[in-house]
Every structure is written in structure tokens, then in C-alpha cells.
Amino acid sequence: MATLTLRDIKKSFGATHVLHGVDLDVTDGEMIVIVGASGCGKSTLLRIVAGLETETSGEVLIAGQSMKGLEPADRDVAMVFQNYALYPHMSVFQNMAYGLKIRGLPKDQIQHRVDEAAGLLGIGHLLQRKPRELSGGQRQRVAMGRAIVREPKLFLFDEPLSNLDAKLRVELRAEIRRLQRRLGVTSLFVTHDQVEAMTLGDRLVVMNAGRAAQIATPMEIWERPADTYVAGFIGSPSMNLLHATLEAGGAAAILDAGGLRLPFADGPRAGAAGRKLIIGIRPEHLRPGQGGLDVMVELVEPLGGESVLHGKLADGTPLTARLPGARYEDGATQLALPTESLHVFDGETGKRIEAGG
Amino acid sequence: MSVTTDATALAERTRRRQFREKIVTHVCLLAGILIFVFPIYLTLIGSTHDVNTIGRGDVPLLPGAEAVANYTQAWGAGGGRYMGTPAGTMLANSLIMALCIAVGKIAISLTSAYAVVFFRFPLRMVFFWLIFITLMLPVEVRIIPTFQVMVDLGLTNTMAGLVIPLIASATATLLFRQFFLTIPDEYVEAAKIDGAGPIRFFIDVVLPLSRTNIAALFVILFIYGWNQYLWPLLIVNDRSLETVVVGLTKMIGTGDQQNEWNVIMATAVFALLPPVAVVVFMQRWFVKGLTETEK
């Protein structure tokens, strides 16, 4: 158990810059989820912490100690891989015990630790099997067991649930969270799945093109995304992003499509009249109602308790709405935008603009 | 009603077609077996007659009564009036040579392929291509310089001189390299995090995963070593180091004397046995190594 500090981590492979300086402070026992689209550098960041890659510049500190020049084995971290990376010729027991054996732990202690971890994960009856005789979920448990027996300072998860089917993923997700809380080990968890990120993390790091776009708790990110990338990435279906301009005085925005006036509920924004804005509204905040957006609905996806509507505005901008109930049809309709649920971003930089800012 | 009849007729047609296909398959197989087995059968039969039966020019197709005498002579005394190396000695020489070549080749190519695949060092690809290029040069091309080197090292007429030049193997290195490339990077990384160094990783992970490939290569290389002819002929003229393949050809005279075909054939049968034994015992592994990977 330990803290983890990343200071301005940069990484380039030849001329390709993958990480542009990431800072992060992880407190003891915290579960941090690094989330982002593929190629954003999230796995590279994890591998730098593990010591499998060397940072081009910057510093990794585990429990306050610089990891510069230390081999993965000397960092006291354990990693769970996406494809499990269980040695195929070793039994489950041997797989879990391998790291301890190399460290020269006495046999009875190895036995004790493996038994304990196996009990914790419910894989005690599988110890003599080979990995190929296990199902995907069981393999993933073994991979976690291998990490747990090491009793490391840090758990590193590299998309460990991606190879599992949807049902198992949900089950194991909850289990990982319970285990991590119970063991209290500081953890980094990399995923591209925003639902996984929201449910697992104490805090999220949303990565975009080699930068940490936002580091905050899941709810904070959902309620106040730092820029349009984070806004579009977190939440399902994605947030609607509509072009608009600032009204003189800054108390409202005028939508480009249809010229609808949207007053800001939380106060005026700075800037000259005509400042380019992007207005964000989550699909679930739209409501059927008069005096709102004119939408041409093209597709209705009934989900039982609610429906997802895909449509277009007058100028062709796509719009998604998630509405309660299932009685919707294709064709022209009007949707109201509750002004208290609007997000305001700068039209050029995409950064969030707060009231008065 | 008519549907049932149609179905029955169709099933009957299918059954006949399958039967015809079976017959064709078996005829082809039988022809193949005849072509391959007949010479070996002749050898076996020949080794059971006395020297005069074959000497007359008859080709007997039924076993004779001299089997024990022929095999005893071949094993203990050797054939040919002047040049008799006993088959026992020659078999031992061939066995040692073939084993050393097979084991040596596997050891060298495993380690060099491991170095080329799992380590980053300057000129890595240069070394790989150097190994690869030697594939283009058959043994015969470099046989004279190799002979000169062995003479300079004083290794003529020694088992070492027989084995060492044949050990370097680009083919096996290449095969192991291809196999190592299929080992997922995650194993390497998991081992790094587990704290296994390069040598431990080699012994604990790479070697066990290569088991079937090693077995398959062992079979191929053992037979390759066993069948070596030109190099043993050149490097060894000491009778006590003669290999069975070379010895066999030396037993067949140049025409100024009668060949003891009965003993020659008995020796040939001896020469067949070890490779056959290796193939039979390692067949399971051999097929596995060539067809499946354990992952």
C-alpha cells in the first residue's frame, strides 16, 4: 500500500509523441481509472508506472521513492494483463506462486498465500488445473490471484475485462471493486469503457491525445466536464454538442440551428457578443415539450423503460435524446432544453466556460 | 411416399459413391506402400540367405535359413574381405554422432534464436541475417575450407571433428525464431514483473513452451546426422570411428571381388533400426510439434 505520484511524464517513440506531460497524485488505497479512446496513451502511462517502458522525461514516485532506473520487479507492483498472460504450461498454483518462488519465499508461506488468495477469489478448486482448462472468467480470476499473492504496493490493471462477455464483465467489475476496497491496495485501472470507468474509479483520468483532459471524481466529470472531449466521452449516449453564439450581455446563447435563445440559468458568461460557443446537453436531459428544438426524428430505439431518439435539427446537426416511456414515433417533434442542465464550452478551444468566466 | 423413396435412393447413391471413394483411396495407398516397402522387404529377405544364393543372381522372395549367422557376422566381424568394421562399432559411432549433432544443433539454435528474438542489442538484425545467409551455402561448398580448419585444429580422426562442423544450423535457428515470435509479449512482461531474469525466463517459460518443437526438430536432425555421408568420409579414416552409412558403402566392393550381400543387407537392416526407433518413439511429439502450438 502506497501513494503514487507522476510528475510531468512525457514519452515519445522516435518522432511520435505519445504523452505530453501527465501529472497525477494518487493517495493511499485509491482506485484511479485511466480512461480514453485507443491510442490516447493510457496503456503507455500504465506501462511506464510498471517500468515496462521508460519515460522520456518526468518522474514516477511510488511511496515517495523515485523509481528512476528500477526494473519492474524492484518496483513492487503487480499487473493484470488484458489477455491474462498466464503461463500455459504451469498449473494455476504454479502460475500464482511463480513470482513468490523467484523471490525465494519459503514453501509453506507460498502455499499459505496462494490458498488465501484462491479462497478470496473462489478458485480454490482450480489450483491443479492448466490455464487452457479454464473459462475466460476463471482465467481472469487467476490473473488477479497472481497479483494479489504478491501483496504489492500497487495494482496495475491493463484493460483486464475487455476479453470477457458482457455479463461476466459486469460481475467481475463489481468483484474487482470489492476486492480492491477490502485489500486497500492503491490501484491504476486502464480501460476504454466509460461505464467501467464510472463504476470502478474513486477518481478518473480522462486521457485525450497524450494529455490528461480531466482528473476528477466520476460524478464531477459527469456534471462538469472540462472540455468537449470529456463531455462527449463520458455518458451514454454521448452528450449533444450544438454550435451557438453569445448574446450581447452574455446572459444567453443563440443556437446556430434555428436561432433558439437559451438563457444561462447559473449566470452570464464573459465575452463579446457573437463569441463562438458550443452548448452541451445530455440526451437524458432533453424532454418532450413545446417551445424547444425542432427535431426531425429518424430512428427510435425502445429500451423498455425509456427510448433513445436519433434525429436531426433543421441544419442537419444530429441530435440524440433519451426519453422516458416508449411511445415515440419517427417524424417532426419538439424537444425542450432545461436551461439548468446546459454545459457551455468555448467554440474554439472546446474548454468549459463557467458563469462569469 | 415418393419423398421417402427419393431419400432412400439418394442415400443409396451416396453410400455407393463413398464406397467407390474408399476403394480409390485404398488402391493408391497400397501402391504407395508396395513402392516403399518392397526394397526394404528385399533387404530383409536378402539378409537371411547365404552368400552364394544372392551371388548367383537370384532374387529370393522367401526367407532363408542363414539369418542368425549373417547377423552375428555383421554385428561382430563386419563384412567385406579386407575391410571389416563390425556393425556394432559403426552403429555406436553413428549413434554418438547423430545424437551430438541433434543435441548440439538444438542447443545452439535455441540460444541464438532466444538472443535474436528477446534481446535488443546493436546489429541484432545484422547477426540474424548473417545466420540466415549461411542457409544459402550447402555443406559441400565449404567442405574444403572446413576440412583445412579441422586439420589445423588437429581434429581429423576424432569424434569432435566429425560433429562440430555439422552443428551450426541456420534452419533450426530460423524455426525457433519463428516460434519465439509467436510467444506473446505479455509473458515476457509478466515474467519481468514476477522478477524472472532472462535465464530464468528461458528455463521456466521458453523451454517448456518449445518442448514439442524441440522434439520435432530432434527427430529431423537425428536422421539428418545419421545420414551424413560426405563429411564423415572425408574427416575420418580411422576404422574405429567409421559410421554405418559410410561403412555400408565401403562394404560394397568395386568389382574385383564378390560382395557379401547377405552381410551387407544385415548391416543395412541394423542401420535402419535406430532412426526408425527414434521416429516411432517420438512420433506423437513429432506430429504435435509440427501441427499445433500449445497456447
Side-chain angles (χ1 to χ4, degrees):
Chain A
M1 272 156 274
T3 61
L4 167 71
T5 309
L6 304 183
R7 278 198 200 130
D8 197 26
I9 300 288
K10 289 184 182 157
K11 174 73 183 173
S12 31
F13 295 101
T16 321
H17 298 285
V18 181
L19 294 172
H20 300 276
V22 176
D23 291 279
L24 180 65
D25 273 294
V26 186
T27 58
D28 191 10
E30 201 178 13
M31 178 87 156
I32 296 284
V33 177
I34 306 172
V35 63
S38 38
C40 69
K42 57 188 191 300
S43 280
T44 310
L45 189 64
L46 191 79
R47 294 162 58 81
I48 286 173
V49 175
L52 295 170
E53 304 272 3
T54 313
E55 60 276 14
T56 310
S57 72
E59 200 177 15
V60 177
L61 296 107
I62 298 176
Q65 279 182 309
S66 170
M67 291 291 123
K68 194 136 243 144
L70 286 190
E71 288 284 316
D74 304 324
R75 297 187 176 206
D76 202 8
V77 299
M79 190 152 167
V80 180
F81 295 88
Q82 178 174 356
N83 64 0
Y84 326 129
L86 300 173
Y87 309 120
H89 58 289
M90 294 188 195
S91 69
V92 168
F93 180 86
Q94 288 167 324
N95 261 294
M96 287 170 73
Y98 188 60
L100 302 179
K101 204 175 108 194
I102 287 178
R103 279 175 172 69
L105 229 68
K107 273 221 167 64
D108 53 328
Q109 219 171 325
I110 294 179
Q111 183 77 44
H112 176 72
R113 280 211 207 171
V114 172
D115 284 343
E116 204 175 50
L120 208 59
L121 291 158
I123 51 172
H125 58 296
L126 304 173
L127 285 178
Q128 296 316 316
R129 296 224 195 138
K130 292 277 171 65
R132 67 166 172 277
E133 298 162 329
L134 304 178
S135 69
Q138 288 170 331
R139 285 183 205 184
Q140 193 53 65
R141 274 167 217 264
V142 175
M144 266 152 58
R146 180 164 68 174
I148 290 172
V149 292
R150 293 266 312 279
E151 298 178 5
K153 288 193 187 124
L154 212 60
F155 279 146
L156 306 172
F157 297 91
D158 190 2
E159 308 212 16
L161 304 177
S162 308
N163 286 2
L164 301 173
D165 62 57
K167 187 165 169 286
L168 256 176
R169 208 179 303 170
V170 174
E171 266 174 50
L172 271 178
R173 192 171 75 200
E175 197 164 329
I176 288 182
R177 187 62 175 139
R178 266 199 298 276
L179 265 175
Q180 192 268 340
R181 283 230 179 102
R182 180 158 160 197
L183 300 169
V185 179
T186 316
S187 304
L188 282 188
F189 190 106
V190 162
T191 180
H192 62 264
D193 179 2
Q194 49 109 359
V195 179
E196 233 167 82
M198 294 286 284
T199 48
L200 272 173
D202 290 319
R203 281 191 297 154
L204 309 189
V205 179
V206 184
M207 299 272 298
N208 179 24
R211 288 192 174 79
Q214 189 169 11
I215 303 175
T217 64
M219 279 322 286
E220 211 176 313
I221 285 184
W222 194 79
E223 281 167 357
R224 300 180 57 235
D227 60 26
T228 49
Y229 178 82
V230 179
F233 193 81
I234 300 291
S236 175
S238 294
M239 184 188 280
N240 296 297
L241 297 169
L242 309 171
H243 290 279
T245 47
L246 194 64
E247 190 189 67
I254 310 293
L255 277 188
D256 288 0
L260 188 70
R261 181 174 181 276
L262 299 169
F264 302 129
D266 51 353
R269 264 61 175 180
R275 179 184 180 182
K276 294 265 175 250
L277 298 177
I278 292 175
I279 300 297
I281 175 92
R282 294 205 179 271
E284 54 269 41
H285 289 151
L286 288 165
R287 283 292 166 263
Q290 298 303 307
L293 288 166
D294 287 311
V295 186
M296 184 58 81
V297 178
E298 293 173 336
L299 178 69
V300 179
E301 297 174 327
L303 300 175
E306 53 189 10
S307 304
V308 175
L309 276 58
H310 299 272
K312 280 206 169 99
L313 298 182
D315 64 344
T317 316
L319 190 88
T320 314
R322 207 164 97 190
L323 306 176
R327 288 181 301 278
Y328 302 97
E329 276 171 17
D330 293 3
T333 185
Q334 277 204 326
L335 293 173
L337 288 77
T339 51
E340 68 279 4
S341 314
L342 294 183
H343 303 263
V344 185
F345 304 100
D346 187 282
E348 263 116 46
T349 62
K351 295 269 178 258
R352 182 182 189 82
I353 308 173
E354 295 290 357
Chain B
M1 186 65 197
S2 72
V3 174
T4 356
T5 339
D6 281 357
T8 326
L10 200 63
E12 178 62 23
R13 267 220 304 283
T14 312
R15 203 184 57 78
R16 277 200 202 138
R17 188 172 47 80
Q18 284 170 344
F19 184 68
R20 272 203 307 278
E21 278 168 6
K22 254 185 207 158
I23 285 185
V24 173
T25 318
H26 280 80
V27 167
C28 290
L29 284 174
L30 277 173
I33 287 174
L34 271 180
I35 291 169
F36 282 111
V37 167
F38 194 63
I40 297 172
Y41 179 74
L42 272 188
T43 313
L44 266 174
I45 296 301
S47 66
T48 60
H49 288 275
D50 63 8
V51 66
N52 294 323
T53 315
I54 313 171
R56 277 200 303 271
D58 294 349
V59 182
L61 287 175
L62 291 173
E66 302 294 320
V68 177
N70 289 342
Y71 281 98
T72 322
Q73 198 202 337
W75 183 264
R81 297 241 160 83
Y82 315 103
M83 24 179 99
T85 312
T89 315
M90 294 198 292
L91 282 176
N93 289 335
S94 277
L95 197 67
I96 294 170
M97 179 183 72
L99 279 177
C100 287
I101 289 175
V103 171
K105 266 180 186 284
I106 287 172
I108 294 252
S109 29
L110 264 176
T111 41
S112 50
Y114 186 62
V116 166
V117 173
F118 288 101
F119 294 91
R120 302 279 164 274
F121 51 88
L123 302 182
R124 187 171 66 100
M125 285 321 279
V126 174
F127 282 110
F128 171 68
W129 283 107
L130 277 179
I131 295 172
F132 190 73
I133 283 169
T134 60
L135 262 181
M136 316 293 167
L137 292 175
V139 176
E140 290 73 17
V141 172
R142 51 187 165 87
I143 204 153
I144 298 303
T146 313
F147 185 76
Q148 182 62 48
V149 171
M150 288 296 125
V151 171
D152 292 346
L153 291 173
L155 287 177
T156 49
N157 274 328
T158 59
M159 186 51 84
L162 202 53
V163 167
I164 291 170
L166 294 174
I167 278 185
S169 174
T171 324
T173 309
L174 208 68
L175 281 173
F176 280 125
R177 173 183 180 263
Q178 291 315 112
F179 172 67
F180 288 170
L181 286 177
T182 67
I183 294 180
D185 286 344
E186 278 84 355
Y187 291 168
V188 184
E189 291 172 354
K192 273 187 192 163
I193 288 175
D194 275 339
I199 293 173
R200 278 212 84 136
F201 181 67
F202 183 66
I203 293 171
D204 287 348
V205 179
V206 174
L207 272 188
L209 288 179
S210 318
R211 270 191 325 236
T212 50
N213 292 55
I214 291 174
L217 263 176
F218 179 81
V219 173
I220 294 172
L221 295 177
F222 180 85
I223 290 168
Y224 163 87
W226 187 267
N227 288 339
Q228 280 304 309
Y229 176 68
L230 186 57
W231 180 248
L233 187 67
L234 269 181
I235 198 74
V236 167
N237 45 35
D238 181 348
R239 271 297 151 73
S240 65
L241 275 175
E242 199 154 86
T243 62
V244 75
V245 176
V246 173
L248 256 180
T249 52
K250 280 191 181 171
M251 285 166 81
I252 302 172
T254 43
D256 50 347
Q257 90 242 12
Q258 194 189 13
N259 288 324
E260 289 179 89
W261 283 112
N262 53 338
V263 181
I264 295 172
M265 295 209 178
T267 314
V269 172
F270 279 136
L272 270 177
L273 292 178
V276 169
V278 166
V279 171
V280 168
F281 284 123
M282 303 200 73
Q283 194 175 32
R284 199 170 62 87
W285 288 94
F286 180 71
V287 175
K288 233 185 175 181
L290 291 181
T291 54
E292 58 178 65
T293 46
E294 194 183 347
K295 239 165 268 128

